[in-house]
């Protein structure tokens, strides 16, 4: 069974940092990307970032470029999202996901997700 377990959310003040972790098991990494989505109350789920489990290529949504960094520990099969300079608009439930990249646009779409993990709440106070 494929399992994705996200952790690391919490409450932080604007300008602060958090690191999210996603523990992955049971995945076959051919053409697989692991990434993060987020969903704020009343809004659609949006893609944040993803990383190729084979090549280590990284991709980011424009809203987080320069502030968030995704990385992977292949030995532990852990994917991390380091979030710096957090803003109140980053407040959301963050979900770890595995699937395929839309290579034409370099984005990880909800439609490309094969597996979802449970979310972790990130709250940024102003």
């Amino acid at each position: 069974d494929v399992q994705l377990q996200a952790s690391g959310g919490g409450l932080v003040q604007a300008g602060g940092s958090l690191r999210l972790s996603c523990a992955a098991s049971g995945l076959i990494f051919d053409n697989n990307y692991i990434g993060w989505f987020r969903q704020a109350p009343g809004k659609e789920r949006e893609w944040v970032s993803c990383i190729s489990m084979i090549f280590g290529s990284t991709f980011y949504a424009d809203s987080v470029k320069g502030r968030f960094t995704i990385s992977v520990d292949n030995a532990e099969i852990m994917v991390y999202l380091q979030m710096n300079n957090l803003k109140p608009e980053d407040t959301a439930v963050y979900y770890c996901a595995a699937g395929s990249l839309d290579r034409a646009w370099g984005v990880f779409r909800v439609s490309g997700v094969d597996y979802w993990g449970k979310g972790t709440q990130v709250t940024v106070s102003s």
Side-chain angles (χ1 to χ4, degrees):
D1 288 348
V2 174
Q3 291 191 350
L4 299 169
Q5 182 65 48
S7 61
L11 173 64
V12 65
Q13 289 188 333
S17 299
L18 282 174
R19 189 177 81 155
L20 304 184
S21 301
C22 176
S25 62
L27 283 171
I28 298 173
F29 292 140
D30 290 353
N31 298 318
N32 256 3
Y33 286 73
I34 292 184
W36 296 91
F37 288 75
R38 66 187 181 186
Q39 189 165 18
K43 294 188 176 182
E44 292 186 353
R45 191 167 296 190
E46 64 172 355
W47 167 65
V48 175
S49 179
C50 66
I51 187 167
S52 167
M53 299 303 290
I54 297 175
F55 303 109
S57 311
T58 58
F59 299 84
Y60 299 93
D62 288 343
S63 59
V64 305
K65 278 181 183 176
R67 299 188 299 122
F68 290 11
T69 303
I70 192 168
S71 60
V72 60
D73 180 338
N74 278 320
E76 297 292 331
I77 315 181
M78 294 284 289
V79 175
Y80 302 101
L81 186 69
Q82 177 67 41
M83 306 185 295
N84 298 329
N85 191 22
L86 283 161
K87 304 175 180 181
E89 52 264 42
D90 294 318
T91 295
V93 177
Y94 283 70
Y95 297 89
C96 180
S100 300
L101 186 76
D102 180 334
R103 297 179 185 276
W105 293 96
V107 298
F108 193 20
R109 302 187 187 281
V110 170
S111 58
V113 174
D114 297 317
Y115 305 101
W116 291 100
K118 293 183 179 179
T120 183
Q121 176 71 47
V122 172
T123 303
V124 184
S125 63
S126 57

